């Protein structure tokens, strides 16, 4: 349970860090391009589908709902934008021996699409940005759980779940909360 919570906290910290203020010295008031909600939805869905689809052999996964988090300027006032995210949890066990291959497959796929790869010193993360500014990050948690997070900026829709709940319920743990830990074995990954 502690590992699952720690993994969820680590992913949340990464996402919130990416959603925070801009480059050093930016007070958060700079206008960022915001795309239409339906356009953003399509971009994020395509990005997570392509990212997990690039993995060979194929993996099993579950998607969370689209989430919109309003952005505030330096005065803590909403600035009219929100970060829309889509999380996909890989439910196939990825052994430590196969984790570098997983990240390399993704970097190769993203590079082939013309994405800008982000440098990271972590052997547990890969991230990139599409030419349209949509971002994707893949993080491997402490117990080997893999999370794909795609995000982009939108005009604030006024709700945190603009498209409703997750398309299918996430697996549920003994505590009643979502259980996104991998439970499926695959000889190519596990």
């Amino acid at each position: 349970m502690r590992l699952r919570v720690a993994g969820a906290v680590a992913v949340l910290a990464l996402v919130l860090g990416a959603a925070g203020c801009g480059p050093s010295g930016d007070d958060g008031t700079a206008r960022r391009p915001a795309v239409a909600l339906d356009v953003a939805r399509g971009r994020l869905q395509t990005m997570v589908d392509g990212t997990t689809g690039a993995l060979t052999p194929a993996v099993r996964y579950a998607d969370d709902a689209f989430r919109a988090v309003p952005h505030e300027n330096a005065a803590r006032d909403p600035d009219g934008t929100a970060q829309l995210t889509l999380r996909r949890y890989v439910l196939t066990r990825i052994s430590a021996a196969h984790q570098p291959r997983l990240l390399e497959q993704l970097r190769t796929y993203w590079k082939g699409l013309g994405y800008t790869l982000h440098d990271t010193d972590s052997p547990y993360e890969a991230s990139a940005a599409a030419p349209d500014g949509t971002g994707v990050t893949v993080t491997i948690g402490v117990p080997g759980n893999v999370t794909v997070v795609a995000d982009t900026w939108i005009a604030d829709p006024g709700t945190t779940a603009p498209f409703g709940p997750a398309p299918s319920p996430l697996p549920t743990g003994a505590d009643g909360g979502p259980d996104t830990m991998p439970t499926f074995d695959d000889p190519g990954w596990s």
Side-chain angles (χ1 to χ4, degrees):
M1 176 66 182
R2 285 186 191 153
L3 291 177
R4 184 170 59 228
V5 171
V9 169
V11 169
L12 182 60
L14 286 171
V15 171
L16 291 176
C21 291
S24 180
D26 182 0
D27 66 359
T29 60
R31 299 299 292 171
R32 63 181 48 85
V35 298
L37 188 58
D38 286 336
V39 171
R41 179 185 192 176
R43 287 180 182 174
L44 298 185
Q45 191 69 58
T46 298
M47 187 168 270
V48 297
D49 288 346
T51 295
T52 53
L55 296 174
T56 304
V59 295
R60 295 180 73 164
Y61 56 82
D63 287 348
D64 199 349
F66 285 88
R67 305 280 180 206
V69 177
H71 185 264
E72 298 174 339
N73 62 23
R76 310 267 315 157
D77 296 320
D79 69 3
T81 64
Q83 186 177 40
L84 184 68
T85 60
L86 176 59
R87 284 183 182 73
R88 177 168 284 177
Y89 303 99
V90 174
L91 301 177
T92 301
R93 285 188 183 97
I94 310 297
S95 71
H98 294 297
Q99 292 170 7
R101 179 170 57 91
L102 179 138
L103 294 177
E104 191 52 40
Q105 282 185 8
L106 296 178
R107 288 183 187 106
T108 300
Y109 169 72
W110 295 334
K111 189 174 181 180
L113 292 175
Y115 290 8
T116 301
L117 300 180
H118 299 156
D119 292 331
T120 177
D121 291 334
S122 172
Y124 305 106
E125 180 181 301
S127 63
D132 64 18
T134 305
V136 61
T137 300
V138 174
T139 306
I140 301 172
V142 174
N145 58 313
V146 176
T147 305
V148 179
V149 179
D151 61 18
T152 194
W153 290 99
I154 58 172
D156 187 353
T159 179
T160 58
F163 302 108
S168 61
L170 292 173
T172 304
D175 63 356
D179 183 3
T180 57
M181 297 308 299
T183 55
F184 299 99
D185 287 319
D186 181 285
W189 289 116
S190 305

